[in-house]
Amino acid sequence: DQQVKQNSPSLSVQEGRISILNCDYTNSMFDYFLWYKKYPAEGPTFLISISSIKDKNEDGRFTVFLNKSAKHLSLHIVPSQPGDSAVYFCAASGSGGSNYKLTFGKGTLLTVNP
Amino acid sequence: NAGVMQNPRHLVRRRGQEARLRCSPMKGHSHVYWYRQLPEEGLKFMVYLQKENIIDESGMPKERFSAEFPKEGPSILRIQQVVRGDSAAYFCASSPRQGEPEAFFGQGTRLTVV
């Protein structure tokens, strides 16, 4: 009963091109979504987030899009750089008193080739 | 300005032994969260603590697992009588205020039960 799904275990792109990482969720109570980046042997690092009242949030090379009707979000990285190579986790939290509780997807390994 | 500190980074225990994992939150953070990542899985919420209080332990296994965050000192995740299925990466996160999904994660403790 995975509530947050990242269906692509891995993605490989060329340096300078766009990376698009996808995430689907099933729980309609989720109203806040986050992307974390994780390097091997390190903890996840917060990257960018989006509230359900928005459909887009941009921060430098990173943009997150949210399609509430489809229960789908995506992370765009433009242009991709070799240092972006990492595992990217999509996470979601609900409204109200338990919004601290993150539900994570299994992650997508992004490899950016020079 | 140290981040979230977890120790040990790696811990090997024989079946039946006890494992103690420590987490010192970021300076000024009084909210601590523990997550577990099983192989090939995303991170799963275990417990949320504030100083001397367990706020939400809905993700903790019913037996053998306990957590505390004393007035002084680090937060401790304790696993008694470990079994092979406890082998995982355990991550601690902290935040300065309640209800902030964007927590800061430590580097994790990789527990191996042999």
Side-chain angles (χ1 to χ4, degrees):
Chain A
D1 62 336
Q2 249 191 301
Q3 297 185 69
V4 176
K5 298 180 184 179
Q6 295 177 256
N7 291 321
S8 297
S10 62
L11 174 68
S12 182
V13 300
Q14 284 299 121
E15 181 178 5
R17 307 294 288 267
I18 184 171
S19 295
I20 301 177
L21 297 99
N22 293 302
C23 178
D24 297 291
Y25 63 97
T26 57
N27 189 338
S28 57
M29 297 302 290
F30 289 146
D31 68 351
Y32 197 77
F33 304 90
L34 308 89
W35 286 93
Y36 278 83
K37 175 180 177 179
K38 184 180 179 305
Y39 293 118
E42 292 189 12
T45 302
F46 169 73
L47 199 56
I48 192 169
S49 61
I50 188 167
S51 166
S52 60
I53 62 173
K54 294 186 174 182
D55 55 16
K56 176 182 175 181
N57 188 26
E58 194 170 351
D59 183 1
R61 296 186 297 115
F62 302 91
T63 303
V64 56
F65 295 91
L66 174 62
N67 183 333
K68 276 188 67 177
S69 60
K71 293 191 176 67
H72 176 84
L73 63 155
S74 61
L75 174 68
H76 293 211
I77 307 173
V78 181
S80 301
Q81 300 172 354
D84 296 330
S85 298
V87 177
Y88 288 79
F89 290 99
C90 171
S93 72
S95 58
S98 64
N99 57 350
Y100 52 80
K101 188 186 298 186
L102 299 177
T103 300
F104 283 84
K106 291 187 178 184
T108 296
L109 173 62
L110 173 65
T111 302
V112 180
N113 301 303
Chain B
N1 192 20
V4 178
M5 304 299 292
Q6 289 188 248
N7 68 82
R9 293 290 308 277
H10 300 275
L11 181 62
V12 179
R13 284 288 177 265
R14 296 185 183 279
R15 280 177 294 171
Q17 290 184 318
E18 177 179 289
R20 282 186 180 235
L21 289 65
R22 295 174 186 77
C23 168
S24 296
M26 284 183 72
K27 188 175 181 181
H29 288 195
S30 58
H31 303 264
V32 167
Y33 318 86
W34 285 92
Y35 284 80
R36 176 167 69 172
Q37 185 183 21
L38 294 169
E40 311 299 325
E41 297 287 327
L43 284 74
K44 286 191 166 36
F45 171 83
M46 299 181 76
V47 63
Y48 163 34
L49 310 109
Q50 294 178 24
K51 287 281 188 183
E52 301 184 279
N53 282 306
I54 297 174
I55 307 301
D56 181 352
E57 56 182 348
S58 59
M60 290 278 271
K62 298 295 181 212
E63 297 176 347
R64 302 186 297 107
F65 284 71
S66 62
E68 63 176 3
F69 189 15
K71 188 176 180 181
E72 301 291 337
S75 174
I76 306 285
L77 179 67
R78 181 182 178 208
I79 311 172
Q80 295 177 289
Q81 300 174 326
V82 295
V83 301
R84 288 234 170 96
D86 297 332
S87 295
Y90 292 82
F91 292 97
C92 169
S94 72
S95 66
R97 287 170 292 275
Q98 184 176 2
E100 286 198 342
E102 298 92 341
F104 294 83
F105 280 82
Q107 292 180 299
T109 294
R110 182 161 297 280
L111 172 66
T112 303
V113 180
V114 297

